[in-house]
Amino acid sequence: MTLERIVQKLDELEKEEGKLPELIQFYHRIMQIQAGVGNQLEKPSPGLTRDTAKERLVQGKPLLEASEFTFDWTLFQNTLREATDVFSEFSHFFDLTPEVFRESPPEQLISRDSIEAWFEGKEIPSTEAISQDVIRELIHAAVRPFLMNYAGTLIGFVEQETWRRNYCPICGGNSDFAYLEPENGARWLLCSRCDTKWLFQRLQCPYCQNQDQNDLSFYSDDDEVYRLYVCEKCKRYLKTIDLRKAGSEVEVSLERLLTYELDVQAREYGYLPVG
Ligand SMILES: [Zn+2]
Ligand SMILES: [Zn+2]
């Protein structure tokens, strides 16, 4: 689903319900920025042939490496500034004051090397005032439309039945949401970074890869639309929507945001989010 579509859905929701919960307001604003940028981007050249893509996937290598991920730096910086304004407005989410973002502007701290480090999950330069986690969130907010643009081009190379790994076939990111297919209940993971969807076995933890069924279970709500898959070995959880119950009209990337109460519940049960 495109970012624009998610923003439209949130616009509609806001009209229907009046004021949206604060966390959703935050994401709504961020996604408006991302959708605006996404609309300006040309499709990137994949830089891969079908054969080289296949070779990479067979070796378990995602299709996009940090060094291949290029984008308009000026546009990125503008996006970063806009995202920083929203972060500043909702600074209490990060236990910060709005002044912090003015006094140490993230745009001066975040370099091309920071993006590469973010992409590879390595340490990113941060400051006393703004933590690594906040910098990571900011980079994600600003880089997402560029990354999703690559994902839209590269997804055509992915053969779902042969991938089935616990990281994204496009960018190598972890999953933070899943859905069960309406037809047969097969489980698809959603990339936390680029929204790519990929098929993954239901009876395995997507974080530590544990397959011991004694350590794996799920909680579900009364109408069985949502599931919280949990793993006793690594203590991680995965929010999941069952499209056999919810119907296929549901926008999965949006459900990830709307189910924030499940995150609260999971933490109360003692499980941790990914990343
Ligand atoms: Zn990804
Ligand atoms: Zn696990």
Side-chain angles (χ1 to χ4, degrees):
M1 181 173 61
T2 63
L3 286 163
E4 207 177 358
R5 184 81 194 106
I6 306 177
V7 171
Q8 272 173 10
K9 281 264 178 185
L10 284 170
D11 291 344
E12 287 164 19
L13 205 62
E14 193 168 44
K15 256 193 210 133
E16 281 164 27
E17 303 197 359
K19 218 170 174 207
L20 295 173
E22 217 189 355
L23 189 67
I24 304 298
Q25 286 178 35
F26 168 73
Y27 283 117
H28 191 185
R29 295 277 302 283
I30 290 289
M31 287 182 150
Q32 281 168 337
I33 298 168
Q34 293 171 341
V37 176
N39 286 341
Q40 298 175 47
L41 302 178
E42 305 265 335
K43 281 278 156 234
S45 141
L48 290 168
T49 63
R50 190 156 285 279
D51 284 345
T52 49
K54 190 168 184 172
E55 208 173 301
R56 272 203 203 183
L57 292 170
V58 167
Q59 291 168 0
K61 289 185 190 152
L63 293 181
L64 186 63
E65 285 180 7
S67 60
E68 297 162 326
F69 179 37
T70 55
F71 46 85
D72 182 332
W73 187 248
T74 310
L75 184 57
F76 170 77
Q77 284 185 308
N78 290 340
T79 314
L80 181 62
R81 269 192 292 273
E82 286 184 43
T84 302
D85 288 344
V86 179
F87 272 57
S88 164
E89 203 178 310
F90 291 85
S91 58
H92 54 287
F93 285 166
F94 311 99
D95 285 328
L96 294 171
T97 60
E99 291 75 39
V100 169
F101 292 96
R102 279 198 292 277
E103 285 158 11
S104 38
E107 62 177 288
Q108 287 174 14
L109 185 70
I110 295 169
S111 65
R112 286 173 198 262
D113 287 347
S114 308
I115 310 297
E116 199 163 320
W118 173 84
F119 193 91
E120 294 181 335
K122 293 181 182 157
E123 197 167 327
I124 305 168
S126 52
T127 59
E128 189 90 24
I130 306 182
S131 71
Q132 175 106 203
D133 284 349
V134 177
I135 296 290
R136 213 172 269 284
E137 291 281 329
L138 255 173
I139 291 178
H140 186 207
V143 99
R144 188 161 176 248
F146 301 94
L147 195 54
M148 284 180 75
N149 193 36
Y150 270 92
T153 299
L154 294 170
I155 190 64
F157 289 131
V158 179
E159 286 171 28
Q160 293 290 346
E161 285 296 343
T162 48
W163 179 253
R164 288 184 166 262
R165 300 193 184 241
N166 66 333
Y167 47 92
C168 172
I170 307 290
C171 79
N174 285 313
S175 167
D176 63 348
F177 198 76
Y179 68 92
L180 306 183
E181 212 173 272
E183 294 77 28
N184 55 14
R187 185 168 71 168
W188 290 72
L189 305 183
L190 192 63
C191 179
S192 59
R193 307 203 302 190
C194 74
D195 276 26
T196 292
K197 293 158 185 162
W198 74 97
L199 196 55
F200 191 72
Q201 34 289 356
R202 245 160 83 176
L203 303 174
Q204 185 173 10
C205 169
Y207 304 119
C208 71
Q209 307 214 60
N210 172 30
Q211 285 180 301
D212 184 344
Q213 300 312 306
N214 296 322
D215 290 335
L216 299 169
S217 55
F218 66 85
Y219 297 90
S220 111
D221 57 340
D222 291 341
D223 50 12
E224 299 181 327
V225 171
Y226 299 103
R227 289 182 180 195
L228 199 58
Y229 281 94
V230 297
C231 171
E232 295 309 327
K233 198 168 162 214
C234 69
K235 285 287 183 186
R236 304 271 163 194
Y237 70 88
L238 178 66
K239 296 188 294 182
T240 303
I241 184 164
D242 188 344
L243 298 186
R244 292 171 301 184
K245 307 275 179 180
S248 49
E249 300 299 296
V250 162
E251 305 287 2
V252 180
S253 321
L254 181 58
E255 285 294 326
R256 163 166 63 200
L257 304 181
L258 299 179
T259 51
Y260 63 92
E261 279 171 350
L262 279 180
D263 294 285
V264 176
Q265 199 180 15
R267 284 191 181 100
E268 278 170 11
Y269 292 158
Y271 299 98
L272 296 165
V274 64

